Amino acid sequence: NLYTDHHGFLWIQYNNHDIDRYDPSTGSFEHISNQKGWDAIRSQISVYELIVDHHDNLWLLTETKGFYRYDTRSKQLLPFNRSTGIIDDSACGIMEDHSGKIWMVTKKGFTTYDYSNYQIKNISYQLSARQTYSGRNHKSGIGEMESGKIMVTSLDSTILLYDPVNNSFQTITPKKKKYIPYDSGLGNTNLVVS
C-alpha cells in the first residue's frame, strides 16, 4: 500500500505489516513500525489501509483491536477501540473529512473523532442485510461527497449515505431482482466521490 501525505512523504505499507515513511527530498526512509510500542499490534495491522491526517497523525486499522493513531511528532501510539469508547473493534475503513474530523468505519457503525474538542462520537448503522463488506480483508469503501454526506459501500453493492447535519441515513441498493452469488459489488476501499 502506498499513501502520499500533505507534506509529500510517501508511506509504504508492506505485506508483512511493516510501515516505512520515505522522504523524497532527502531520499531517506524512516522505519516507523520498528519503533517502541509497535510489537503488540504489528501482526494485527490491516494491510492496504492507512491514512495520515492534517495533524500529521498516522491512522491504522487492525484485524481485531480497533484503530490506532500514531503521532509522528511525539512517536506515541494511541489505541481507539471499545475500551476507549469506539463502537466496535472490527475496523473496516477510515477517512478524514473536509473539516479534519476522522471517520472510523466498523461493522456496527461509525465512530468519529473530532480534533476541535477531542471527542469521540458513535453513530450506529446496519450497512447491509447480508452484513458483507467490500474490498480486501472485508473492508468498506468510505468517502465524503461534496454535500458533506458520508458514503460507505458493501460487498453486495449497497451504498449507505449518512447526512451528518440531519443525522439521517439513506440506503441505496442495486436494482436487481435476485441475489447474484458472485457479485463483486463495490469492492474498492479507495472510494473517490466526485
Side-chain angles (χ1 to χ4, degrees):
N1 186 26
L2 299 175
Y3 183 89
T4 304
D5 69 18
H6 61 280
H7 294 294
F9 294 124
L10 179 64
W11 294 81
I12 305 164
Q13 186 177 26
Y14 302 97
N15 284 339
N16 67 354
H17 307 280
D18 285 341
I19 297 171
D20 286 346
R21 181 175 70 176
Y22 174 71
D23 183 345
S25 67
T26 63
S28 63
F29 283 89
E30 183 179 0
H31 304 293
I32 301 295
S33 58
N34 287 342
Q35 298 177 22
K36 183 178 179 181
W38 285 77
D39 291 341
I41 69 158
R42 187 178 295 108
S43 66
Q44 285 287 310
I45 296 171
S46 295
V47 180
Y48 310 115
E49 201 74 32
L50 60 82
I51 66 167
V52 178
D53 66 26
H54 283 82
H55 295 272
D56 297 325
N57 292 310
L58 170 67
W59 290 84
L60 304 161
L61 286 70
T62 67
E63 297 297 329
T64 60
K65 295 182 178 187
F67 301 82
Y68 277 78
R69 183 182 73 191
Y70 174 72
D71 186 318
T72 61
R73 294 180 184 122
S74 70
K75 311 285 190 223
Q76 296 295 311
L77 195 58
L78 180 67
F80 282 76
N81 52 35
R82 286 182 54 211
S83 66
T84 61
I86 75 166
I87 199 165
D88 186 28
D89 285 341
S90 60
C92 296
I94 193 164
M95 73 159 210
E96 180 180 18
D97 72 11
H98 72 280
S99 68
K101 189 180 293 181
I102 303 300
W103 290 78
M104 295 169 262
V105 181
T106 74
K107 292 180 181 178
K108 294 183 179 177
F110 296 119
T111 294
T112 61
Y113 179 73
D114 189 343
Y115 278 104
S116 69
N117 58 15
Y118 306 106
Q119 294 289 313
I120 290 175
K121 178 181 176 185
N122 291 314
I123 306 162
S124 297
Y125 66 69
Q126 181 173 333
L127 181 57
S128 129
R130 286 178 33 210
Q131 291 293 298
T132 54
Y133 302 88
S134 66
R136 302 176 203 121
N137 299 326
H138 305 287
K139 302 302 173 216
S140 296
I142 181 171
E144 181 181 26
M145 300 177 71
E146 191 174 318
S147 65
K149 290 181 181 178
I150 305 300
M151 179 185 293
V152 177
T153 65
S154 72
L155 185 61
D156 63 358
S157 298
T158 299
I159 298 172
L160 180 70
L161 290 177
Y162 174 68
D163 181 349
V165 173
N166 297 308
N167 192 30
S168 63
F169 290 94
Q170 176 186 1
T171 303
I172 302 168
T173 56
K175 295 180 191 288
K176 55 185 168 187
K177 304 269 184 211
K178 63 179 185 173
Y179 167 70
I180 300 171
Y182 298 104
D183 178 16
S184 62
L186 295 169
N188 185 350
T189 56
N190 300 316
L191 181 64
V192 176
V193 181
S194 60

Short mmCIF file of all heavy atoms in Angstrom, two decimals, residues 77-109:
data_model
loop_
_atom_site.label_atom_id
_atom_site.label_comp_id
_atom_site.label_asym_id
_atom_site.label_seq_id
_atom_site.Cartn_x
_atom_site.Cartn_y
_atom_site.Cartn_z
N LEU A 77 1.87 5.93 20.19
CA LEU A 77 0.86 5.10 19.55
C LEU A 77 -0.34 5.03 20.50
O LEU A 77 -0.20 4.62 21.65
CB LEU A 77 1.45 3.71 19.30
CG LEU A 77 0.75 2.77 18.36
CD1 LEU A 77 0.60 3.36 16.96
CD2 LEU A 77 1.53 1.46 18.28
N LEU A 78 -1.52 5.47 20.02
CA LEU A 78 -2.69 5.54 20.88
C LEU A 78 -3.81 4.67 20.31
O LEU A 78 -4.18 4.82 19.14
CB LEU A 78 -3.17 7.00 20.96
CG LEU A 78 -4.39 7.30 21.80
CD1 LEU A 78 -4.09 7.05 23.28
CD2 LEU A 78 -4.83 8.74 21.58
N PRO A 79 -4.39 3.77 21.13
CA PRO A 79 -5.47 2.91 20.64
C PRO A 79 -6.81 3.64 20.59
O PRO A 79 -7.09 4.50 21.43
CB PRO A 79 -5.51 1.78 21.66
CG PRO A 79 -5.02 2.39 22.92
CD PRO A 79 -4.01 3.43 22.50
N PHE A 80 -7.62 3.32 19.62
CA PHE A 80 -9.02 3.71 19.54
C PHE A 80 -9.78 2.41 19.37
O PHE A 80 -9.86 1.86 18.26
CB PHE A 80 -9.27 4.65 18.35
CG PHE A 80 -8.83 6.06 18.60
CD1 PHE A 80 -7.50 6.39 18.57
CD2 PHE A 80 -9.76 7.05 18.89
CE1 PHE A 80 -7.07 7.69 18.81
CE2 PHE A 80 -9.35 8.35 19.13
CZ PHE A 80 -8.01 8.68 19.09
N ASN A 81 -10.30 1.89 20.49
CA ASN A 81 -11.01 0.62 20.47
C ASN A 81 -12.18 0.69 21.44
O ASN A 81 -12.48 1.76 21.98
CB ASN A 81 -10.06 -0.54 20.78
CG ASN A 81 -9.27 -0.31 22.04
OD1 ASN A 81 -9.76 0.27 23.00
ND2 ASN A 81 -8.03 -0.75 22.06
N ARG A 82 -12.86 -0.43 21.65
CA ARG A 82 -14.04 -0.42 22.51
C ARG A 82 -13.71 0.07 23.92
O ARG A 82 -14.50 0.76 24.54
CB ARG A 82 -14.68 -1.81 22.56
CG ARG A 82 -15.42 -2.09 21.25
CD ARG A 82 -16.13 -3.41 21.21
NE ARG A 82 -17.05 -3.56 22.32
CZ ARG A 82 -17.34 -4.72 22.88
NH1 ARG A 82 -16.83 -5.83 22.42
NH2 ARG A 82 -18.19 -4.79 23.88
N SER A 83 -12.53 -0.27 24.41
CA SER A 83 -12.18 0.16 25.77
C SER A 83 -11.94 1.67 25.86
O SER A 83 -12.01 2.25 26.94
CB SER A 83 -10.97 -0.60 26.29
OG SER A 83 -9.82 -0.27 25.54
N THR A 84 -11.70 2.33 24.72
CA THR A 84 -11.52 3.79 24.73
C THR A 84 -12.76 4.51 24.21
O THR A 84 -12.74 5.73 24.08
CB THR A 84 -10.29 4.21 23.90
OG1 THR A 84 -10.46 3.81 22.55
CG2 THR A 84 -9.02 3.63 24.48
N GLY A 85 -13.83 3.75 23.88
CA GLY A 85 -15.10 4.39 23.56
C GLY A 85 -15.63 4.23 22.15
O GLY A 85 -16.73 4.70 21.87
N ILE A 86 -14.89 3.59 21.24
CA ILE A 86 -15.45 3.46 19.89
C ILE A 86 -16.48 2.33 19.87
O ILE A 86 -16.53 1.47 20.74
CB ILE A 86 -14.39 3.28 18.78
CG1 ILE A 86 -13.78 1.89 18.77
CG2 ILE A 86 -13.32 4.35 18.87
CD1 ILE A 86 -12.99 1.61 17.51
N ILE A 87 -17.32 2.33 18.84
CA ILE A 87 -18.49 1.46 18.78
C ILE A 87 -18.17 -0.02 18.62
O ILE A 87 -18.91 -0.87 19.08
CB ILE A 87 -19.43 1.95 17.65
CG1 ILE A 87 -20.84 1.41 17.82
CG2 ILE A 87 -18.87 1.64 16.27
CD1 ILE A 87 -21.87 2.13 16.98
N ASP A 88 -17.04 -0.35 17.99
CA ASP A 88 -16.73 -1.75 17.69
C ASP A 88 -15.25 -1.87 17.33
O ASP A 88 -14.67 -0.93 16.79
CB ASP A 88 -17.61 -2.20 16.51
CG ASP A 88 -17.51 -3.67 16.18
OD1 ASP A 88 -17.23 -4.47 17.08
OD2 ASP A 88 -17.73 -4.02 15.01
N ASP A 89 -14.66 -3.02 17.61
CA ASP A 89 -13.25 -3.25 17.28
C ASP A 89 -13.04 -3.81 15.87
O ASP A 89 -11.91 -4.05 15.47
CB ASP A 89 -12.61 -4.20 18.30
CG ASP A 89 -12.34 -3.52 19.63
OD1 ASP A 89 -12.30 -2.27 19.67
OD2 ASP A 89 -12.15 -4.23 20.62
N SER A 90 -14.11 -4.05 15.11
CA SER A 90 -13.97 -4.58 13.75
C SER A 90 -13.75 -3.41 12.79
O SER A 90 -14.68 -2.87 12.21
CB SER A 90 -15.21 -5.38 13.35
OG SER A 90 -16.36 -4.54 13.39
N ALA A 91 -12.51 -3.01 12.65
CA ALA A 91 -12.15 -1.86 11.81
C ALA A 91 -12.33 -2.20 10.34
O ALA A 91 -11.76 -3.15 9.84
CB ALA A 91 -10.70 -1.48 12.08
N CYS A 92 -13.15 -1.40 9.63
CA CYS A 92 -13.46 -1.66 8.22
C CYS A 92 -13.03 -0.56 7.27
O CYS A 92 -12.95 -0.78 6.07
CB CYS A 92 -14.97 -1.88 8.05
SG CYS A 92 -15.61 -3.31 8.91
N GLY A 93 -12.78 0.64 7.75
CA GLY A 93 -12.37 1.73 6.88
C GLY A 93 -12.13 3.00 7.68
O GLY A 93 -12.54 3.10 8.85
N ILE A 94 -11.47 3.96 7.05
CA ILE A 94 -11.16 5.22 7.75
C ILE A 94 -10.96 6.32 6.72
O ILE A 94 -10.51 6.08 5.60
CB ILE A 94 -9.91 5.05 8.64
CG1 ILE A 94 -9.77 6.23 9.59
CG2 ILE A 94 -8.67 4.80 7.81
CD1 ILE A 94 -8.81 5.98 10.74
N MET A 95 -11.31 7.56 7.12
CA MET A 95 -11.05 8.73 6.28
C MET A 95 -11.05 9.98 7.14
O MET A 95 -11.53 9.97 8.27
CB MET A 95 -12.08 8.86 5.17
CG MET A 95 -13.44 9.31 5.62
SD MET A 95 -14.37 10.00 4.25
CE MET A 95 -15.36 11.18 5.15
N GLU A 96 -10.50 11.04 6.58
CA GLU A 96 -10.57 12.37 7.18
C GLU A 96 -11.48 13.21 6.31
O GLU A 96 -11.31 13.25 5.08
CB GLU A 96 -9.17 12.99 7.24
CG GLU A 96 -9.14 14.37 7.85
CD GLU A 96 -7.74 14.96 7.90
OE1 GLU A 96 -6.84 14.47 7.18
OE2 GLU A 96 -7.54 15.91 8.67
N ASP A 97 -12.47 13.88 6.90
CA ASP A 97 -13.38 14.70 6.09
C ASP A 97 -12.81 16.10 5.88
O ASP A 97 -11.71 16.42 6.35
CB ASP A 97 -14.79 14.71 6.69
CG ASP A 97 -14.93 15.52 7.98
OD1 ASP A 97 -14.00 16.27 8.35
OD2 ASP A 97 -15.99 15.39 8.63
N HIS A 98 -13.56 16.94 5.17
CA HIS A 98 -13.08 18.28 4.80
C HIS A 98 -12.79 19.16 6.02
O HIS A 98 -11.99 20.06 5.95
CB HIS A 98 -14.10 18.97 3.89
CG HIS A 98 -15.34 19.40 4.59
ND1 HIS A 98 -16.37 18.52 4.89
CD2 HIS A 98 -15.71 20.60 5.10
CE1 HIS A 98 -17.33 19.17 5.53
NE2 HIS A 98 -16.95 20.42 5.68
N SER A 99 -13.44 18.87 7.15
CA SER A 99 -13.23 19.68 8.35
C SER A 99 -12.13 19.13 9.25
O SER A 99 -11.82 19.71 10.28
CB SER A 99 -14.54 19.77 9.15
OG SER A 99 -14.88 18.52 9.70
N GLY A 100 -11.55 17.98 8.87
CA GLY A 100 -10.49 17.37 9.66
C GLY A 100 -10.96 16.32 10.64
O GLY A 100 -10.17 15.78 11.40
N LYS A 101 -12.27 16.04 10.63
CA LYS A 101 -12.81 15.01 11.51
C LYS A 101 -12.44 13.64 10.95
O LYS A 101 -12.50 13.41 9.74
CB LYS A 101 -14.33 15.14 11.59
CG LYS A 101 -14.99 14.27 12.62
CD LYS A 101 -16.50 14.46 12.63
CE LYS A 101 -16.85 15.84 13.10
NZ LYS A 101 -18.30 16.06 13.15
N ILE A 102 -12.06 12.71 11.83
CA ILE A 102 -11.71 11.36 11.42
C ILE A 102 -12.95 10.47 11.52
O ILE A 102 -13.63 10.46 12.56
CB ILE A 102 -10.58 10.79 12.31
CG1 ILE A 102 -9.35 11.69 12.27
CG2 ILE A 102 -10.23 9.35 11.91
CD1 ILE A 102 -8.73 11.88 10.90
N TRP A 103 -13.25 9.73 10.45
CA TRP A 103 -14.37 8.81 10.40
C TRP A 103 -13.83 7.39 10.39
O TRP A 103 -13.13 7.00 9.46
CB TRP A 103 -15.21 9.05 9.14
CG TRP A 103 -15.95 10.34 9.17
CD1 TRP A 103 -15.44 11.58 8.93
CD2 TRP A 103 -17.33 10.51 9.49
NE1 TRP A 103 -16.42 12.52 9.07
CE2 TRP A 103 -17.59 11.89 9.40
CE3 TRP A 103 -18.36 9.63 9.82
CZ2 TRP A 103 -18.86 12.41 9.65
CZ3 TRP A 103 -19.62 10.16 10.05
CH2 TRP A 103 -19.86 11.53 9.97
N MET A 104 -14.12 6.65 11.45
CA MET A 104 -13.72 5.26 11.56
C MET A 104 -14.94 4.39 11.29
O MET A 104 -15.98 4.57 11.92
CB MET A 104 -13.16 4.98 12.96
CG MET A 104 -11.87 5.73 13.24
SD MET A 104 -11.36 5.66 14.97
CE MET A 104 -12.00 7.23 15.56
N VAL A 105 -14.83 3.46 10.35
CA VAL A 105 -15.95 2.61 9.96
C VAL A 105 -15.76 1.23 10.58
O VAL A 105 -14.69 0.63 10.47
CB VAL A 105 -16.03 2.46 8.43
CG1 VAL A 105 -17.21 1.60 8.03
CG2 VAL A 105 -16.08 3.82 7.75
N THR A 106 -16.81 0.75 11.23
CA THR A 106 -16.80 -0.61 11.77
C THR A 106 -18.04 -1.34 11.25
O THR A 106 -18.87 -0.75 10.57
CB THR A 106 -16.83 -0.61 13.31
OG1 THR A 106 -18.13 -0.25 13.76
CG2 THR A 106 -15.79 0.34 13.90
N LYS A 107 -18.17 -2.59 11.58
CA LYS A 107 -19.34 -3.35 11.16
C LYS A 107 -20.61 -2.89 11.86
O LYS A 107 -21.70 -3.12 11.37
CB LYS A 107 -19.12 -4.85 11.41
CG LYS A 107 -18.05 -5.44 10.51
CD LYS A 107 -17.85 -6.90 10.77
CE LYS A 107 -16.76 -7.46 9.86
NZ LYS A 107 -16.51 -8.87 10.12
N LYS A 108 -20.47 -2.20 12.99
CA LYS A 108 -21.64 -1.75 13.74
C LYS A 108 -21.96 -0.27 13.58
O LYS A 108 -22.97 0.20 14.08
CB LYS A 108 -21.45 -2.07 15.22
CG LYS A 108 -21.41 -3.56 15.51
CD LYS A 108 -21.30 -3.84 16.98
CE LYS A 108 -21.27 -5.33 17.23
NZ LYS A 108 -21.10 -5.63 18.65
N GLY A 109 -21.08 0.47 12.93
CA GLY A 109 -21.35 1.89 12.74
C GLY A 109 -20.09 2.72 12.60
O GLY A 109 -18.99 2.19 12.50
#
